[in-house]
Amino acid sequence: MADLVKLTIDGREIQAEKGKLLIEVARQNGIEVPAFCYHEDYTLQAACRMCLVEIEKTPKLQVGCTTPVAEGMVVRTDSDLVRKSRKGMVEFLLTNHPLDCPVCDKGGECELQDMTFRYGAGESRFVERKIHTDEKQWSPVVYFDAPRCILCYRCVRACNEGMGVGALGVGNRGAISEIVPNHGDHLECDECGLCIDICPVGALTSGAYRYQTRPWEMEHVGTICTHCADGCKTTLGVRNDEIIRGNNRDRSGINNEFLCVKGRYAFDFTKHPERLQSPMMRTEKGYEPISWSKALEVVAGRFASVKARGGKFGVIGSNHTTNEENFFLAKFARQGLGTNNIDHHRTGDLAAFFDALSGKTGALATTGDVYSAKAVLVVGADLAQQHPFLSFQARANFRHHQAHIYAVTTGPVREDNQAVASVRIEKGGEVAGVESLREKLKAEGDLVIVFGDSVQGESLRKLVAFGDSLGIPVKYVCLVDYSNSRGAFDMGVLPRDGGLSREQMLAATDLDVLWVVGANPLKGAELASKSAFVVVQDLFMTATAKQADIVLPAASAYEKSGTVTNVCGEVQRLKQAIKVMGTKTDLEIFGQIAKEMGLNLGIWLPDKVFEEIRKNVHGYGVSPALLAMGPVPTMPLNGHVAALPGAIQSSGDTLFTSGSLTPYSEILNNVMEAPGRLYGGQGQ
Amino acid sequence: MAKQLYNQPSPLETRVVSKNFVIEGSETLDVYLANDGYKAFRKAKEMTPEAIIEEVKTSGLRGRGGAGFPTGLKWSFVPRTSPKPRVIVVNADESEPGTCKDRLLMEYDPHQLIEGILIAGLAVDAHKGYIYIRGEYRYLIDSMDRAIDEAYAKGYLGNNVAGTGFQFDLCTHSGAGAYECGEETALLDSIEGKRGIPRMKPPFPAVAGAWALPTLLNNVETFSAIPPIIRDGGPAFAALGTPKNGGTRLVCISGHVNKPGVYELPLGFPMLKAIYEVAGGIPGGKKLKAVVPGGSSCPILRAEECDIPMDYDTLAKVGSMLGSGGMVVLDETTDMVRFALRIMKFYAHESCGWCIPCREGTTWLKKILQRFYEGQGRREDISMLGELSKNMLGRTFCALGDAAALPTISIVEKFTEDFEAYLARQEVLV
């Protein structure tokens, strides 16, 4: 327990931890101390001078964001002098700031507007000519208007310290100082857009959101990003049933303000013109739209007849569908269709992972653990490309807590910049590479090991054995791709008890039905059984859908409720943001087919299915009340987990690709960095 | 004597730090050695570091860069026993308007400066030094480099300084045209290759300076005064000045005087005597109007306020500063509005841009003064100049904001009549 000190702020006696910043202590006690440049995640600047307060016994006003509290300090944040100082600072700032409010996207959520209303003067005394430069576009999604910039340097710090990219800097000097991008007139970076959301004014604005609406016209829906497995909260701005923007400015969820380019911008696939909005049936003339009742009739009819004669089913589930949908589908396959041939594209060896962790408690790391552990070891993964939030957490851990980072990868990765030690290996040499760090790792206080798909089966068991042998607390993250790969595994979308794996289903020449939900297994792969009846539920006519007999238009993750489980096993709630005409959620489709077949598989509403999950799935006995407030970690299966047939392979996505969604997101295709990798090169 | 100096010496000077200026070849090591060179270093080598610092304290030497902080006290802040190596940095960024003394010390007596640096090295156990010279002093960087090369060649720098076994390495570092880089922490950032932006204090450079090493940073003139102090003793130096304001200093007298130049005068020398007897009085017998006592960043003095001795404490008492010694004499023909505009242009140009009040404030003040000077002034501008300056004063990240605000406030308050005259002219024209 740290030392407490007593101090007085505005006549109130307050207790606080010794050495904490005055601005933090004041804010935590409900006393507002305004600041532009202060941000608790980044280095202190003391540049904007808005937080100047009076401290007794010091002759000049003192900066609240760099002054630590001390015993007996007497502070005034509301005296006449402080008010005058704040008014003066806002007045100075507004001398060169253009009166762009009517045409500036930030209007309505602008910190300078707020500060001016609260602390500024009603009229300006400035009658001189303002410094003007034209607005610039630095990338398809980043616009920069230098006159609006108040030089708080948040963007520079967020890009450099937070993201580890450093694509923004400061050029020139004095009143013509300007933020400059890393390539002079344009940016080449992660396109994450953190600079835009962290900018307190409208200097940095989004090219994707530009001039479309005002913030108060949108409904803000907080849901979970549908791209990678990190499970970031993304707050979607919705107007007239259209998603206009995404960000996380309200700092909810596990990711604070962080979002990558996919979480922030790649929601535009939802409104792509090629979005399926009607069931399709294959005829000699090609695909024809049919009604839902007709489609369900055809599908249910075929399923029932194949089941009746003991035919062979193959069900391929999705990495994107919700836990409720996965649970229901697994039940459908086993109880409804009487088959164990159900699988999904497995991107991480969770079976071996949980088996190796049998009997252990507290061995699963949460995303919070990646931020708070004393040491983080990354094995066989380029986090900045495939798990950008985990990369952000590890880097923040290094910045705030001086954590020790280690990297064992096949090529350079962004973590090298903070790493105590980086080991380059060939694929297959992961365990040996980790072994070479034994002495250093043994000396750590605790450790989180994050590993990619190249560590599987035997090498995975060896890695866990290595962790055990260090004699320190070790937690693990088994990396998987896509927003609900963990959920697909946990809910049993798996070929247990002798069921066929995905590859085996595609190779089975006697397959009668192939039911594909939200997956694209026939991209670059052949279906051996030429007579199989193929049903595909998806958002677009993927390569797999183009071989289907019936295509059913499904809703995306932004169009439904339910839960998903992220790479660290944290369960979070989705909230429906929009509805696309003509589509149904996968859960609804399952339920309707079941009903059509006369099966009783339970009520197909997400809440009801979740109740069943709570009762029946080990580790998911989470309190719905807790879940309503935020992520809840799940526990691994205890006890022996049988090995499963089939290959494990990561999707190989980068920051600018997202499986079959990539072609349908204009943003991902328009940024100049697509589809390549900027940092890390070959690191994996 | 045949040597051509920038100005004729005055018989009223007390030449301590500038005593070698008049000697032919003073910038060479041989001439320096023939004129008491390195006697102080050898003496200091036999003293303990504490004794050296005590001698500097007794001398009453205060920083000659402008702030006037007691030098001996500053030296005592450097942790000699730190596991991190200590570093000496010389502030040769001389950019304060009106100041031109450090250039002479480097041009005419570079080896005295080197000897001062070496003694400082003995005092804080430092073995590496950097002389940060403003980029505009291109020829001085070259001449300083020549002096350093000469010192190395003859064994007065390197592994065995003057055969005493003391090791010290020294080099110059060029600035790139920023007044702000004369601010000690901005200078340190600049030496590290970063933008010249000042740092938050604490930590202070004595504890964590260049590359986070304990750093002893002083002005050229301050280091140059060290060899005389050690050679002749602290008390002797102190006695030349006034209590708590020991020694002499180089005063740069410019403006409306018959004999502008750099003159070494003891602290406490009367200001009017300096103007009328040392600098030969005002041309054409015109009346004195104002004096900038120590560089443009000081509050200005009206003629009737100038009958004072020139030392740190007296200038502070009358509401100004002894500053960098850059004294500018202004006669009755001076347009104070134009003067205020000229110096504000300087501050607006040199503002590093880090903090809001200085960046926006200096620009705004410049624009108001420009408009006023062009005949578009309004009555409310006069009070606004003072108010805006007071909104900057004490609220900026570093002293540049104060340096811009203080003279402006003093000019507006003390020479309101000059501003009124503009308004009166405007009314007539309309």
Side-chain angles (χ1 to χ4, degrees), chain A residues 45-49 52 66 85 89 91-93 95-96 125-126 128-129 150-151 153 170 172-175, chain B residues 177-178 195 200 349-357 359-361 363-364 367-368 371 387-388 395-397:
Chain A
Q45 308 269 273
C48 72
R49 318 308 280 181
L52 288 171
T66 58
S85 169
M89 292 305 157
E91 186 179 29
F92 278 139
L93 208 45
T95 57
N96 277 314
R125 297 191 284 181
F126 185 82
E128 327 299 332
R129 173 164 271 185
I150 61 171
L151 290 168
Y153 315 109
V170 190
N172 297 340
R173 167 177 96 191
Chain B
R195 282 164 64 82
M200 286 193 289
H349 181 68
E350 298 291 344
S351 170
C352 77
W354 179 250
C355 72
I356 291 175
R359 174 179 82 228
E360 310 292 346
T363 310
W364 191 358
K367 289 181 177 170
I368 297 174
R371 182 170 47 81
E387 258 188 70
L388 294 177
R395 300 189 193 157
T396 53
F397 192 84

Side-chain angles (χ1 to χ4, degrees), chain A residues 312-392:
Chain A
K312 191 177 253 176
F313 285 96
V315 182
I316 299 183
S318 173
N319 307 71
H320 285 109
T321 44
T322 62
N323 291 328
E324 291 78 3
E325 285 160 350
N326 297 336
F327 182 82
F328 202 98
L329 184 64
K331 202 173 174 193
F332 202 131
R334 296 196 169 93
Q335 285 179 34
L337 302 175
T339 178
N340 280 317
N341 302 342
I342 174 169
D343 196 5
H344 67 280
H345 174 190
R346 281 173 276 138
T347 54
D349 199 349
L350 290 171
F353 180 54
F354 290 139
D355 194 43
L357 291 184
S358 304
K360 291 195 216 301
T361 49
L364 283 189
T366 60
T367 50
D369 289 328
V370 177
Y371 173 66
S372 59
K374 300 257 185 346
V376 177
L377 165 64
V378 179
V379 185
D382 188 352
L383 293 183
Q385 290 295 321
Q386 294 187 289
H387 293 272
F389 177 55
L390 293 183
S391 177
F392 187 85

Side-chain angles (χ1 to χ4, degrees), chain A residues 33-54:
Chain A
V33 175
F36 286 115
C37 67
Y38 172 72
H39 193 292
E40 58 272 13
D41 292 342
Y42 305 118
T43 52
L44 300 175
Q45 308 269 273
C48 72
R49 318 308 280 181
M50 283 298 290
C51 65
L52 288 171
V53 290
E54 252 188 271

Side-chain angles (χ1 to χ4, degrees), chain B residues 128-196:
Chain B
K128 202 130 180 40
Y130 302 85
I131 307 178
Y132 185 100
I133 306 181
R134 67 186 296 214
E136 294 92 330
Y137 279 175
R138 180 72 248 160
Y139 73 104
L140 284 171
I141 298 173
D142 293 337
S143 75
M144 197 71 222
D145 282 341
R146 276 198 296 275
I148 291 175
D149 287 343
E150 210 193 340
Y152 268 105
K154 298 186 175 157
Y156 286 86
L157 278 173
N159 286 332
N160 191 8
V161 175
T164 62
F166 183 61
Q167 186 264 322
F168 198 92
D169 280 311
L170 183 64
C171 66
T172 56
H173 181 103
S174 171
Y179 167 68
E180 177 63 17
C181 286
E183 203 277 342
E184 63 176 359
T185 58
L187 191 157
L188 294 171
D189 258 19
S190 178
I191 266 190
E192 291 183 24
K194 304 179 192 158
R195 282 164 64 82

Side-chain angles (χ1 to χ4, degrees), chain B residues 102-146:
Chain B
D102 296 336
R103 61 185 293 183
L104 299 183
L105 286 165
M106 286 191 284
E107 183 168 356
Y108 293 137
D109 214 341
H111 290 283
Q112 178 178 244
L113 173 60
I114 295 175
E115 189 182 0
I117 296 168
L118 289 168
I119 296 171
L122 288 172
V124 299
D125 193 20
H127 302 274
K128 202 130 180 40
Y130 302 85
I131 307 178
Y132 185 100
I133 306 181
R134 67 186 296 214
E136 294 92 330
Y137 279 175
R138 180 72 248 160
Y139 73 104
L140 284 171
I141 298 173
D142 293 337
S143 75
M144 197 71 222
D145 282 341
R146 276 198 296 275

